[in-house]
Structure formats: C-alpha cells, structure tokens
Amino acid sequence: MALVNLLGETLQKAGRERGTVETRTLAGEGRYVGIYFSALGCPPCHRFTPKLVQFYNEFKKTEKGESLEVVLVSGDADQESFDEHFAEMPWLAIPFTQAQKRLDLCDKYEVLGIPVLVIVDANTAELVTDRGRDGVTTDPTGQDFPWKTLGLINKMALVELLGESLQKKAGDEERVQTSSLTGEGRYVGLYFSAHWCPPCRMFTPDLIEFYNDYKAKGTLEIVFVSSDADQGSFDGYFGSMPWLAVPYSERQKKAELSDKFGVKGIPTLVILRADTAEVVTKKGRDRVMKDPTGQDFPWG
C-alpha cells in the first residue's frame, strides 16, 4: 500500500502511552493525511502548532472530519524533546526511533525549513499540496480542504514562473522565449548565485563544465537568478556563463523566485521539469558535485 510505504507500517498515538495505529487504517476514498514537519525548539512551529491543533479539532467535528489525519514528522534532537513536543498534539506521529524514515520524508518533500504541512491523498500517497500551512492560515474552517486550489509551487507553468522571456547574453537585449524551453523529458535548472559570493565563484566553473558536457543531450537548460549588487556585477558574472538569465532589471521576479523555492543561501540549484515547472530537486548543487557526469540526472 502506498501510504504504508511512505509512512511505515505503524504510527504512534498521541499521548505518552506510546500506543500505535496501523497506517493502513488511514487509507480510504476521499481521505487525506497531513504530514507535519515540526520541532520543539522552532519558534515558528510554536506559533503555528496551536493553530493547527485548533483547526484539526474543529475540522474533526464537521461532516468532512473523518477525511483528515495528521502525522508529525519530528525534527527534535532527542526523545525527551519529542515527547514534550508531541504531548501538545492530538494526532499521530512517526515514532522518534524511526530516524531514517523521518529523514527520508524530509528528503522526499525537500523540507528545508519548518513548520511545513504537506497534504497527501491517503489512498495513493500522491502529493496534493505542500502548502497546507497556508491552507490552515487562510482557510481556518477548512471550507476548501484539501486546498487543491492552492496548488503546488512545482505546478506553476514555466512561463508564469519565469516570465515570457529570458536574457541570452550579458550586456545586450537579446531574449529567448521561455516557452521554447518546454518539452517532454526536458528540465530547467534555476541557479541562484552572485559574483560577491565565494562559494558561488567556486561552484560556477563546476556547473559550467557539467552543463557543457550534458548539454549535448538536449534535455537541460539553466537559468541564472542573480543576487548581484548592481547591473555591472551581474553583466560581468553572467558574461562567464553559457546559459540564460532572468534579466537583472527584474528584481521583483528574482525576489519571488527566491521566496517560492525557499532559497536561504547561495549557491542553490533547483531542478524543474520544463513542462510543468514541477520541482525535481532543490539539491542540484550537491548532485552536480556527486554526479558530475549526470549519470543519474535529473536526480529525482
């Protein structure tokens, strides 16, 4: 069963008695599971958890109440912290002892910061939205649950995401239509970087080498998203790159992209499916270093 494969065979009940529930019992037509990534020492989690508890308790009283269960995936450092954190919650949890399962879930949903609430279909374990936190905040009665209308960051059309055109060369106005990058089996790498950043300058030559070698396969394009301080710095840095860029003048677009993909530091390389703008991985930098020939590309 898909949900069992995702979460494991059993889940821990709320409370300190550490009873268990068989994961398979959560499945059913029209049912959903909220996977809640949180930790005791996280201030944003402390602010959001009471809202989620209130939502969960109130939603359980509605006609749709049986359609939702929540499962904690703890980022706590030890069993004592987990117990204290989970004691606040009325739902289920991945047992703290299942460290690898918790790490696997964080990796699967590319959780870079918490709290995060991921909603999955309980029958298929397919992702419905990775923006459950927004759903709870903006729809506290659950009227539009499971918030499919929120969509996913990775379901935005590529043109909507990047704009209609991209810059081809530094220092001129030549543009490439973003729509030309789409196609079945093609990918786009968003490269968040800046010349003033030493780790970026160290990584960029490796990425150029990877790109030039892999480009012959025709399945990858890279788009530079600059954090440079001014147009001159952008032009100088982009001039060393063989790929495309979001024009430096489009500062709002740069800010939106950084926000959408949770970019906390640079260099960051996000790999997208070109047809759907679906995120394949946000760990492209690590993948380039570990797989410089692209044997396992797109690293999903």
Side-chain angles (χ1 to χ4, degrees):
M1 183 181 295
L3 197 65
V4 173
N5 292 335
L6 181 67
L7 301 178
E9 292 187 359
T10 60
L11 298 165
Q12 185 173 332
K13 288 182 179 179
R16 296 181 182 272
E17 72 278 4
R18 299 189 187 179
T20 60
V21 170
E22 292 188 0
T23 304
R24 63 180 179 81
T25 63
L26 306 187
E29 192 69 31
R31 301 181 72 181
Y32 299 89
V33 173
I35 305 174
Y36 182 42
F37 298 86
S38 180
L40 181 67
C42 160
C45 300
H46 277 294
R47 292 191 292 270
F48 178 66
T49 296
K51 296 179 183 179
L52 182 56
V53 170
Q54 182 177 358
F55 172 85
Y56 178 86
N57 287 336
E58 293 300 319
F59 191 78
K60 285 292 186 182
K61 301 174 184 176
T62 70
E63 292 181 0
K64 296 193 292 184
E66 290 303 313
S67 66
L68 171 67
E69 189 51 77
V70 174
V71 175
L72 170 66
V73 180
S74 166
D76 292 303
D78 52 56
Q79 183 74 55
E80 184 178 0
S81 298
F82 168 83
D83 289 342
E84 182 179 348
H85 190 41
F86 188 37
E88 306 171 358
M89 302 173 182
W91 44 71
L92 306 175
I94 302 291
F96 183 77
T97 54
Q98 295 184 14
Q100 189 58 53
K101 175 60 68 177
R102 292 185 287 118
L103 289 172
D104 289 345
L105 288 165
C106 287
D107 187 60
K108 178 177 178 63
Y109 297 111
E110 300 192 323
V111 175
L112 301 179
I114 52 176
V116 169
L117 180 62
V118 171
I119 307 297
V120 301
D121 185 296
N123 259 353
T124 64
E126 291 181 358
L127 182 63
V128 175
T129 181
D130 52 9
R131 295 173 58 189
R133 180 182 176 187
D134 291 345
V136 169
T137 302
T138 61
D139 179 30
T141 64
Q143 182 175 345
D144 297 321
F145 181 83
W147 305 308
K148 294 179 182 179
T149 55
L150 280 177
L152 303 170
I153 291 173
N154 58 15
K155 290 298 183 183
M156 296 176 67
L158 196 64
V159 172
E160 181 183 350
L161 186 69
L162 300 179
E164 292 187 359
S165 65
L166 298 163
Q167 189 169 342
K168 187 174 182 180
K169 294 181 180 179
D172 64 31
E173 297 299 317
E174 188 170 4
R175 295 288 187 269
V176 170
Q177 294 299 303
T178 304
S179 59
S180 69
L181 306 186
T182 61
E184 186 176 355
R186 299 181 68 182
Y187 300 87
V188 172
L190 301 185
Y191 182 41
F192 297 85
S193 183
H195 184 264
W196 53 258
C197 162
C200 299
R201 294 200 303 273
M202 292 176 61
F203 176 64
T204 296
D206 293 328
L207 184 56
I208 290 172
E209 183 176 358
F210 171 83
Y211 175 85
N212 287 335
D213 288 345
Y214 198 82
K215 182 68 173 175
K217 297 183 180 180
T219 59
L220 172 67
E221 189 52 77
I222 291 177
V223 177
F224 174 39
V225 184
S226 170
S227 292
D228 288 302
D230 53 57
Q231 183 73 54
S233 299
F234 167 84
D235 288 343
Y237 192 35
F238 183 41
S240 69
M241 301 174 181
W243 44 69
L244 307 175
V246 174
Y248 185 78
S249 59
E250 298 182 13
R251 293 290 81 196
Q252 184 60 38
K253 177 62 68 178
K254 180 267 174 190
E256 290 172 358
L257 289 168
S258 295
D259 182 62
K260 286 182 185 298
F261 296 107
V263 176
K264 304 300 183 184
I266 54 175
T268 292
L269 179 63
V270 178
I271 305 298
L272 309 175
R273 299 187 190 281
D275 273 351
T276 63
E278 177 184 0
V279 174
V280 178
T281 182
K282 296 179 183 178
K283 300 179 180 178
R285 176 190 179 188
D286 291 342
R287 302 300 191 259
V288 168
M289 301 306 293
K290 293 177 181 177
D291 181 26
T293 64
Q295 181 176 345
D296 298 320
F297 184 83
W299 309 307

